[in-house]
Amino acid sequence: MSVLLLSGCGGAPAKDLKTFHFSFSTGNAMNASVSYDLKYEDGVYTASVKPSGVPEEEASVRTVDEAFVQELEKFLQEYHTERWNGFHKSNKHVLDGNSFSFFYRTKDGKGCEASGYMKWPKNYSEVKNGIGSISGKLLQE
């Protein structure tokens, strides 16, 4: 068991984020996806929110403060999303379903990656709703 832990099977906790991405499909129509992104460059955090039905090029992009980043990091840590690292599952029996993509990298290069098609990691719905709530505040500003 300790050999697995030392070999890097788990992801790094979401702390000191450099990049973050979470997207999921909401149907099969054009632009039927939602995405949330965070990027740290030149000492500034920029967040992007693309609601369902909105083209990628019309995503809302904002500079965010450290408090926003800390709220997101705390939430991701609370739900132990680092345990999602390596989750790449799909249900081959569903031809017309929904998918998700999730990843983040910390400033020291560690991170977490997960994806799925009609298969979800533990606490997926809670994390999806929480990220939507946190990022949705940007659309209200």
Side-chain angles (χ1 to χ4, degrees):
M1 182 76 152
S2 63
V3 173
L4 290 175
L5 294 173
L6 295 174
S7 68
C9 289
K15 186 172 169 122
D16 297 322
L17 290 176
K18 183 172 184 178
T19 60
F20 169 80
H21 169 82
F22 177 55
S23 62
F24 56 92
S25 60
T26 58
N28 296 316
M30 187 172 191
N31 301 312
S33 65
V34 173
S35 65
Y36 307 107
D37 291 277
L38 179 73
K39 193 184 312 183
Y40 180 76
E41 283 184 329
D42 300 323
V44 177
Y45 278 104
T46 305
S48 170
V49 178
K50 189 207 104 42
S52 182
V54 174
E56 208 53 56
E57 59 273 7
E58 293 179 22
S60 176
V61 179
R62 307 251 160 107
T63 299
V64 294
D65 60 14
E66 192 67 33
F68 175 87
V69 177
Q70 288 175 355
E71 181 181 7
L72 177 61
E73 289 175 345
K74 182 179 177 185
F75 177 79
L76 296 173
Q77 290 169 25
E78 179 182 332
Y79 282 93
H80 300 283
T81 56
E82 72 277 3
R83 294 178 185 164
W84 291 11
N85 194 47
F87 183 99
H88 301 289
K89 296 183 180 184
S90 64
N91 183 338
K92 63 183 178 183
H93 301 293
V94 179
L95 300 176
D96 208 8
N98 290 315
S99 61
F100 82 96
S101 175
F102 176 90
F103 71 84
Y104 59 79
R105 289 280 172 261
T106 60
K107 291 176 184 172
D108 64 1
K110 297 177 183 173
C112 177
E113 292 185 34
S115 63
Y117 173 76
M118 296 305 292
K119 294 270 186 172
W120 325 110
K122 184 178 180 179
N123 297 322
Y124 174 80
S125 292
E126 293 87 349
V127 171
K128 174 183 163 186
N129 293 336
I131 292 170
S133 178
I134 293 166
S135 297
K137 295 173 191 174
L138 299 174
L139 295 174
Q140 297 170 359
E141 294 177 356

